[in-house]
Amino acid sequence: MKISPIKLIDENGRRIDGRLPHEIRKVKIESGVLKNADGSAYIELGNNKIIVAVYGPREVYPKHQALADRALLRCRYSMAPFSVEERKTPSPTRREIELSKVIREALEPAIFLEEYPRTAIDVFIEVLEADGGTRTASITAASVALADAGIPMRDLVTAIAIGKVEGLLVVDLNGLEDQYGEGDMPIAMMPQLGYVTLFQADGRFTAEELKEAFKLANDAIKKIYEEQKQALKRKYLKVAEIGEI
Amino acid sequence: MKISPIKLIDENGRRIDGRLPHEIRKVKIESGVLKNADGSAYIELGNNKIIVAVYGPREVYPKHQALADRALLRCRYSMAPFSVEERKTPSPTRREIELSKVIREALEPAIFLEEYPRTAIDVFIEVLEADGGTRTASITAASVALADAGIPMRDLVTAIAIGKVEGLLVVDLNGLEDQYGEGDMPIAMMPQLGYVTLFQADGRFTAEELKEAFKLANDAIKKIYEEQKQALKRKYLKVAEIGEI
Amino acid sequence: MKISPIKLIDENGRRIDGRLPHEIRKVKIESGVLKNADGSAYIELGNNKIIVAVYGPREVYPKHQALADRALLRCRYSMAPFSVEERKTPSPTRREIELSKVIREALEPAIFLEEYPRTAIDVFIEVLEADGGTRTASITAASVALADAGIPMRDLVTAIAIGKVEGLLVVDLNGLEDQYGEGDMPIAMMPQLGYVTLFQADGRFTAEELKEAFKLANDAIKKIYEEQKQALKRKYLKVAEIGEI
Amino acid sequence: MSSKASEVLSLLKRDVLLGNLKRGERLDGRGPEDYREIKIETGIIGKAEGSALVHIGDTKVIAGVKAEIGTPFPDTPNQGVQIVNAELIPLASPIFEPGPPGEDDIELARVIDRGLRSAETIRLDELVLIPGKKVWTIFIDIYSLDYNGNLFDASGLAALSALLTTNLKKTEITGENIILKEEEQPLPVGRKPVYVTLVKIEDILLVDPSYEEELLADARITFIVDESDNICGIQKGGKKGFKPSEILKAADIAIETATKLRKILPST
Amino acid sequence: MSSKASEVLSLLKRDVLLGNLKRGERLDGRGPEDYREIKIETGIIGKAEGSALVHIGDTKVIAGVKAEIGTPFPDTPNQGVQIVNAELIPLASPIFEPGPPGEDDIELARVIDRGLRSAETIRLDELVLIPGKKVWTIFIDIYSLDYNGNLFDASGLAALSALLTTNLKKTEITGENIILKEEEQPLPVGRKPVYVTLVKIEDILLVDPSYEEELLADARITFIVDESDNICGIQKGGKKGFKPSEILKAADIAIETATKLRKILPST
Amino acid sequence: MSSKASEVLSLLKRDVLLGNLKRGERLDGRGPEDYREIKIETGIIGKAEGSALVHIGDTKVIAGVKAEIGTPFPDTPNQGVQIVNAELIPLASPIFEPGPPGEDDIELARVIDRGLRSAETIRLDELVLIPGKKVWTIFIDIYSLDYNGNLFDASGLAALSALLTTNLKKTEITGENIILKEEEQPLPVGRKPVYVTLVKIEDILLVDPSYEEELLADARITFIVDESDNICGIQKGGKKGFKPSEILKAADIAIETATKLRKILPST
């Protein structure tokens, strides 16, 4: 564990970027940002900048991977080499491979895959700039991109990280808090249905803190969920306006 | 060539582990040690510890590899990273790739592959600890695992290494003798049928020494062959006992 | 840019190997040099030594790569590890991958690919020794090998590099001129049809120099084109002679 | 485990399994919170600095620890290096394929790695030989030998047991020179995390799933628990979700189960 | 771009496109030598030393510059290191596939790299920190985000724009020790090469091809032009040839176009 | 060679070949112990420190030797490094495929490597420049150009011939500094191993098999023989076995054959 060279919570209970413990960073979501993709979304969460494209349902190559009873969901989470402090090698790291898997499993419960047997739905995530919480922001954006692609969903998936900093539970860790804090607990939920679809933890937490984390996450997720819906609405309005011309 | 820092044969003609030149190390063979595999075996030869699983005859993937007139025999010899003094990288080395090939060719003559056209028989060998002679011990165990899988065979295959240490031919080289000795000659045979199915040499040997090597190998192989049969018998008896209950 | 430790043009206007600016190096081309290949050629251009084999038209593996309306042209340009000053790693470098592509695109316009739908034509190029201009010499040899394989062609493809050395345009750069010169402009043409099928440049050229380069290239290409035809004729005569015996 | 595997279970078997579960019965007779029999053998690989073979029912996993002198990472000059590798080798199951590690192997390795790091099991700060220059690198290689469910717990237990029985050579350092002595000393260890996995089938939570139960499972969750009942890591998997209340209940069961499992750990 | 892509265009669309072209009309209303609208955004990636997002019509490419202290190549001890990487990621187009870079990615990266080298855009000789031992390594990573034709020009423009807005930390060197200071200074740049691509469809030359035009093209040619109208690189592609006269005409058009494009470059 | 290849030979050709063999005739008129014509060209690659192109009948193999200054392996600080690489490139045969080395390439390289090591052909102990720090690394790269049977012998002969004609630059060492001089000296060589391969078809042993004979063969055996008739390596291959008596007979034939082949080796 690295020892923090800096104080992460100040005497007024403010975090290093001025937020209170339960505050999330500024979030901006746009949908329909790419021309080629069937659906797409762009998210900024603090300094995180992530773009997501969805292709599908479409034919599966190689064909033997196709599933008889549902669509094959594939997910590729990737960080641009320039997205982080030290240049990342362009080939997928073990971290990116694991995250591709857990993000896929976070999105899968929300999609009516059974409506498109023998097809593939591909989710491509590119992190352009990273500053703590890329997996949760990716999930948030990916579910908007899926909806933008017109893929029928049970609910959106909305995600946020709860963290532990100087003994305190805080919401939406930034990069420094992630690096020097005591714990990180990313949570993804289907907000309407109340299901947790991604849940990981790193660091040390008590059972009591788990309970508290869910409460904190709940509030943050509600806010972000509104942003997701707004992003989809704006796109719809834009489309409608153009349609009227 | 490395110069031995130690005396490999003492004044009484004893080897570094106390054996006489023609003596093999303690050998222990068990069959049916794994639940998932169709056949399996475990061997200890001195400090060597090797486990073998056989799957098949089963469907071939990718399908175009299937052979119209016989089963496809595949073999993967692999050493665990912790099996050797210096940690081995987990990905297959050139040595492991060559050994997978020669072990496959040592087993192939013994199997009635023509009885299972268009199928695959897979032999997976994992060396858990290595101390000289892993390829021969692997072959010995693999043929027990094949028999344990109920695959019809012309004969078992039994193998041992003959080596040259301080000018003397010795049987069943251990790791130190392999490292500092003058030659290594692994031999695999079908003992009943009298065929040599693996034969390699490293170091320098005269034509005369070749002849002597076969004699020494013959005796060792007979002993190990008995152990192989016992291992299969014990399994059979165990199965029979269980069957009676 | 590396500063040349040597003078590349002497006071008499001679280049480092004694040539005048417009002179090409000694060229030697042979066709039909390999037994297995359907067509083959060997070229020496100065110190460059390159061998080319052509296989095809033949079945395509994997099958899904086959094209319905024409043959699939594949090309592999490879340098032997010992062909260059510093040993090259045996696995394909990025340079080799790019060159395989541009060489393929240089040959493709000359071949009646549409006559062999659903087949593959494979061009394998092995550079045994390299001394500047391997891509152009490879193209020259490859088109001879294609003709030797009896593949119907619109024209041969003939190639040469124009370079810039101490401000002067010169023909057929050698290794030193390539390393220390100011520019390299490889050109491939179908000489009869007058089409440029490969064209690249490195270094700095004026639009005026471009025009001059084409003129210089034209003369050199005519000479090499004759050598290509001679190589094919010699093979034909040899075959004819043998036929008569 | 893999999506391919999930197609293996026949509909018939599925119905039987589900029917039984609803009556509180598991196929092998266990109750929902019962763990299978565990056996731990340590010190079995002479060439390894530490090793353990763990049986959980018919699942077998071996872990080996190797120690090498290497250089620290530039951003942690005063810490040893921990590297965890896991391989789902084809010897262990017909559903595992040869080839480089896939996402299942990598997820497993990373979950084990994070648990050990969060618990500070290996005292990396005590593995520095020459600060900023030479440290011990500890490799933990985990190989599945027979896969019959619950590789996370078996791998975690094998890794921990191997580490608890690992010995390093003592060293003598003069200037930049490191001499390895014959004498050995135990690897310095901190907290001891135990991995406990549950699956959810419809609304039933099952501890220590068998292979068939994993095939049937809607979702999976692993808790890593230390001796103070702290949670040192969580990993959710699977194609469906959990209700928060289910996760909290699973956490309680995991903490309880960990206390039981802890009793069979090898002594250092 | 890839041979697979060339099969996508339907025969019908092909005929319409061709018919229009013969009347001097492009599908999007441009004349043969018209460029699409260009938009350049720089300084968008905080973690990068330089960055630019370039739009050419609906084509979007992002380039990021990272600088690291490394060792020079043995044969150029007094020069910094320039590394260009380009990835046609599957996010950008249904015809791009995941996996390691293929021949299209590699050709693109190498053409961008050669243009920057020939123009001496990065003053590599000014990037030496300790001669023969420590130099700046400049990584230029180019990612296509939306591929709708003419990746060469968009990538070249993104790379150049990112470099022109790159800042390096100042350094303080005492002996073999390099200290990075908080203060920054612009990356030293030389000539500014602009990439201009034309395609040939039958005997018509078109500047800045759209995706459909690329599918239809017989051949492609890229000229890299610096501020003195020198050509710093050429790359011909495609399955057919050019007449020399066509190449010379294309060169003239490219030089003219480059002059126009140069006006929108970000200032250093 | 590969299992795929073994399916190529038609049944008809098989019968003819076999019938002839039983009458002591080989397809190309040779007797069972006759070798095909051999041609060795050395010094053909100017950029290589040593090189040889070997023809055995229609089989052609080229070997090139490159020497570089590198670091010794930690466990052999007082020895140079020998690296053998072999590639069955698709240029040489329709049955060879592009891609990274497969098991056939690797077996070939390792058999050549072991023979050279057992014979101590390269005097590795004489290739130390600064003990424990700098040694010559000798790369031997073997490329098949036309595969018509018996790659082992052709590769061995090419490697040996290239080594026998290899020259290294003289060096001048002052402290840790190595200066390469213009003058050259021959690579120090020890014993000269000759590779002799036989195949067995039913109960017939054939020296120097052609491609068709390899397809038909039940098993293959290679003996590596030095100038004192010592065997410096053996490799058995193929899908059937040998009787011990057959192996001993094959060894005698190989030793005799090696004596003949030795006469055409290039002089150092």
Side-chain angles (χ1 to χ4, degrees), chain C residues 87-176:
Chain C
R87 177 180 184 259
K88 194 199 77 76
T89 166
S91 51
T93 61
R94 290 167 68 91
R95 179 182 168 276
E96 288 171 303
I97 291 169
E98 185 203 342
L99 263 56
S100 295
K101 178 178 192 287
V102 296
I103 292 171
R104 187 188 71 225
E105 292 177 330
L107 297 171
E108 185 161 355
I111 309 172
F112 287 102
L113 292 173
E114 57 279 17
E115 291 195 11
Y116 302 98
R118 313 210 66 78
T119 69
I121 296 174
D122 286 301
V123 178
F124 298 118
I125 297 163
E126 197 68 34
V127 177
L128 301 176
E129 185 165 357
D131 189 30
T134 60
R135 90 188 64 186
T136 48
S138 294
I139 290 168
T140 297
S143 76
V144 171
L146 283 162
D148 182 48
I151 291 170
M153 295 172 79
R154 295 180 173 82
D155 196 352
L156 291 175
V157 184
T158 314
I160 198 71
I162 304 302
K164 197 167 164 184
V165 169
E166 297 183 4
L168 204 68
L169 287 194
V170 301
V171 178
D172 187 20
L173 288 179
N174 66 30
L176 276 176

Side-chain angles (χ1 to χ4, degrees), chain F residues 230-255:
Chain F
N230 278 310
I231 294 165
C232 300
I234 302 173
Q235 183 87 343
K236 179 261 172 190
K239 60 185 187 297
K240 292 200 178 166
F242 286 98
K243 286 183 206 149
S245 59
E246 290 172 333
I247 289 183
L248 294 173
K249 188 182 160 197
D252 289 341
I253 297 173
I255 290 171

Side-chain angles (χ1 to χ4, degrees), chain E residues 119-182:
Chain E
E120 297 174 68
T121 304
I122 304 179
R123 298 295 311 258
L124 294 175
D125 49 336
E126 298 184 23
L127 297 182
V128 181
L129 297 168
I130 302 172
K133 294 197 172 162
K134 292 288 171 194
V135 299
W136 282 108
T137 296
I138 306 296
F139 292 96
I140 304 159
D141 284 286
I142 301 167
Y143 277 65
S144 55
L145 298 183
D146 215 349
Y147 165 48
N148 296 288
N150 202 6
L151 277 184
F152 279 85
D153 294 7
S155 299
L157 202 50
L160 180 60
S161 302
L163 288 170
L164 291 177
T165 54
T166 290
N167 288 304
L168 299 183
K169 287 213 185 311
K170 290 192 178 179
T171 55
E172 204 176 279
I173 301 166
T174 48
E176 302 270 299
N177 207 19
I178 301 169
I179 293 163
L180 291 179
K181 303 206 283 186
E182 275 307 295

Side-chain angles (χ1 to χ4, degrees), chain C residues 21-202:
Chain C
H22 67 278
E23 276 184 281
I24 62 169
R25 288 172 287 183
K26 200 169 161 239
V27 60
K28 178 181 140 189
I29 307 175
E30 281 176 70
S31 69
V33 296
L34 297 175
K35 181 164 179 279
N36 280 330
D38 296 317
S40 60
Y42 174 73
I43 189 167
E44 286 185 14
L45 175 68
N47 294 327
N48 290 299
K49 295 184 183 71
I50 301 166
I51 194 161
V52 180
V54 169
Y55 286 91
R58 62 178 177 180
E59 273 190 271
V60 184
Y61 293 101
K63 283 187 181 181
H64 67 85
Q65 291 187 353
L67 304 175
D69 59 345
R70 63 187 192 281
L72 176 69
L73 181 63
R74 293 185 292 205
C75 179
R76 182 180 180 269
Y77 164 94
S78 157
M79 296 183 99
F82 47 76
S83 66
V84 282
E85 207 55 60
E86 302 262 311
R87 177 180 184 259
K88 194 199 77 76
T89 166
S91 51
T93 61
R94 290 167 68 91
R95 179 182 168 276
E96 288 171 303
I97 291 169
E98 185 203 342
L99 263 56
S100 295
K101 178 178 192 287
V102 296
I103 292 171
R104 187 188 71 225
E105 292 177 330
L107 297 171
E108 185 161 355
I111 309 172
F112 287 102
L113 292 173
E114 57 279 17
E115 291 195 11
Y116 302 98
R118 313 210 66 78
T119 69
I121 296 174
D122 286 301
V123 178
F124 298 118
I125 297 163
E126 197 68 34
V127 177
L128 301 176
E129 185 165 357
D131 189 30
T134 60
R135 90 188 64 186
T136 48
S138 294
I139 290 168
T140 297
S143 76
V144 171
L146 283 162
D148 182 48
I151 291 170
M153 295 172 79
R154 295 180 173 82
D155 196 352
L156 291 175
V157 184
T158 314
I160 198 71
I162 304 302
K164 197 167 164 184
V165 169
E166 297 183 4
L168 204 68
L169 287 194
V170 301
V171 178
D172 187 20
L173 288 179
N174 66 30
L176 276 176
E177 291 173 329
D178 188 20
Q179 191 176 0
Y180 295 111
E182 293 123 51
D184 179 23
M185 190 188 286
I187 302 178
M189 294 191 74
M190 295 194 281
Q192 298 279 21
L193 300 174
Y195 276 96
V196 177
T197 65
L198 174 132
F199 192 52
Q200 295 183 288
D202 217 359

Side-chain angles (χ1 to χ4, degrees), chain A residues 35-36 55 84-85 87 129-130, chain E residues 46-47 66 92 141 146-147:
Chain A
K35 180 164 179 279
N36 281 327
Y55 287 91
V84 282
E85 207 54 62
R87 177 182 183 257
E129 184 165 359
Chain E
K47 291 257 163 69
K66 291 293 295 177
D141 284 286
D146 215 349
Y147 165 48

